[in-house]
Amino acid sequence: MSPVTGQAGGRPRGALIAAALGSAVALAVTAVGAGPAVGAQARELAYTCAFPAGAWPVGVRVAATVPDTAAVGEPIQPTDVTATVTAPNAALADFAALHAATVAGTAELTTEVSQGADAATVAWSGLDVLAAPVPDTDDLVLAASGAVAPVTVSAPGDVTLTAGALVLDLSMYQADGSATDPAGLSVACRLDPGQDGRLATIAVPDADLPSTSGPPTSTPDGGIEVGPPPDGSSPPGASRPRAGGEPPPGCFDFKNSPTAAPNCAYMAGYSNVAKLHGSVLLGVGPDEPNLHISLGDRLVVYPAGSPECPDTDEAFCRFAIDTISSATLDIPAARATFLAFGFMPVTATMKLTETAYAHVVSRSFRYQDRQDPTKNAFPLVVTSLGTMSARIYDVAINGISFDVGPACRPEDDLAVELHGHSATQSTRDPDEYTVPDGGPQDGMSTIPPFSGCRGVTGENLDLLFTGMVSGPGNYVKMTQGAPCPQIGGQPTDCPPVKVLEPQR
């Protein structure tokens, strides 16, 4: 089945990044109002969903019960959560082509929980979609419900729940009860722009005020803590607390690249030169961040059974989502010394310049355990593809200046492909990488033959540099800090985390 494509809208960091890189959905629980939500609430929201037949408007009705107030350290637990999705009949062409008579499945939900400058993304998985008949002419109505994860705050202040994206993981059956071929379909939806995504506000008074709740459970690190759902399963990780600040100059400059989700970050690392048995330190320079990311330019959804969503011996792949972003990397000129041919010290300055926007593809998976269907895994792999030109200048051989001309460079651009991974949608150890959390990416590069290298008297030095430098097998490892995004025109998590010690 062909992938489903659509535009990724909304906000980066916190709720949006975790939703865009992860697989999820937003809904939360209650109505928006000037005061806190009380008891059972319902809210109508407008989404656009990427069906195989195209992008179609979808109505989503969210209902749940939340407390009107909560205490510091007390879990805030939404209950009776339901999401009713109404899809137009025109979006169901692929259902009919597969002779689907009944559809069921699960919904993935996420909500941003914010309190002052702190925020966390709560991903709720496994909301059951009740089996529903596929209508001939009417709209398709799907109802999802289930237990969701609570959150706990460690300080007083209003807590706000905000809606984000929606993903339906559907299974289809023919009239005789047999599965269609393919049997699964995943549909990614985003909240239509222009809507106020706030769904509930819960008052959390000062800790010394009277409270009818039980003894609080502490959150010693501050901010917002995500607990497991009532059934005891573990939700995907939550984003770190965020705080706003002033971004560095040029932080959100994208060189005329249109973007609705700009981010900036620091990136540094090492590139080996295999023939010279050494490496060059890249990316250490001015205080301005050197990596600019336009997050979530496009989404591609791959259903179960597609080559991009392979099953494993331990788990079924329910769907995979590519979040495709564009990036530019401004690397300061780097100076390094090598022993050419194993004995001659050569010092040179190298300037790398990106020749096209890099494509950063974050592929997130939803796996369901074969033995225990309540267990889900959300691994992520990231591939960054870019091209750069390189120039060599200010060369010294054995301490003596050696003119190589103004255009000494590889005859072709360097193709750079880096890879990163994470066991979940957020990094858990120093070797893991996601775009919103940063971390290391590595890969191999080939340095093409040189051209344009000319001595003072015009002698051709191309073969000299080709013999010293060019060839395959050059290992590259770059380490990115956590980015600083612009959300709704306002900087968040600024200034970005600077990479001081890139990994080797």
Side-chain angles (χ1 to χ4, degrees), residues 270-456:
Y270 293 91
S271 176
N272 287 355
V273 182
K275 280 188 174 180
L276 296 176
H277 305 287
S279 63
V280 181
L281 175 61
L282 303 173
V284 178
D287 290 335
E288 288 79 9
N290 58 356
L291 178 67
H292 304 272
I293 310 168
S294 173
L295 182 72
D297 294 332
R298 188 162 57 95
L299 296 181
V300 181
V301 182
Y302 302 100
S306 62
E308 294 81 5
C309 185
D311 292 338
T312 68
D313 292 339
E314 295 79 22
F316 299 103
C317 183
R318 293 309 187 189
F319 58 83
I321 299 178
D322 281 354
T323 302
I324 303 172
S325 307
S326 58
T328 61
L329 179 61
D330 297 323
I331 299 180
R335 191 157 179 82
T337 298
F338 300 94
L339 289 177
F341 305 113
F343 67 91
M344 183 184 300
V346 176
T347 301
T349 300
M350 178 179 69
K351 181 66 174 78
L352 292 172
T353 303
E354 202 160 45
T355 56
Y357 289 105
H359 293 280
V360 182
V361 181
S362 300
R363 178 168 295 176
S364 58
F365 299 87
R366 187 261 174 110
Y367 280 105
Q368 187 175 52
D369 190 274
R370 290 177 181 269
Q371 303 299 322
D372 185 352
T374 65
K375 292 183 178 180
N376 297 311
F378 302 85
L380 179 77
V381 295
V382 183
T383 302
S384 301
L385 304 169
T387 57
M388 289 187 163
S389 65
R391 185 169 77 89
I392 303 295
Y393 60 96
D394 195 13
V395 177
I397 299 178
N398 203 23
I400 300 173
S401 180
F402 188 76
D403 191 359
V404 299
C408 183
R409 64 183 75 230
E411 61 184 14
D412 295 315
D413 289 344
L414 285 70
V416 181
E417 180 173 335
L418 301 178
H419 301 273
H421 68 91
S422 177
T424 65
Q425 306 305 307
S426 59
T427 59
R428 301 296 179 94
D429 65 57
D431 292 326
E432 293 186 331
Y433 173 80
T434 68
V435 175
D437 292 312
Q441 295 186 84
D442 62 359
M444 306 295 290
S445 70
T446 296
I447 301 175
F450 276 74
S451 68
C453 303
R454 300 293 183 266
V456 176

Side-chain angles (χ1 to χ4, degrees), residues 14 17 134 136 158 182 189-190 220 245 250 322 336 345 379 414 423 457 468 472 484:
I17 288 187
V134 177
D136 292 330
D158 287 351
C189 308
R190 61 180 175 85
D322 281 354
L414 285 70
T457 60
M468 285 194 304
C484 162

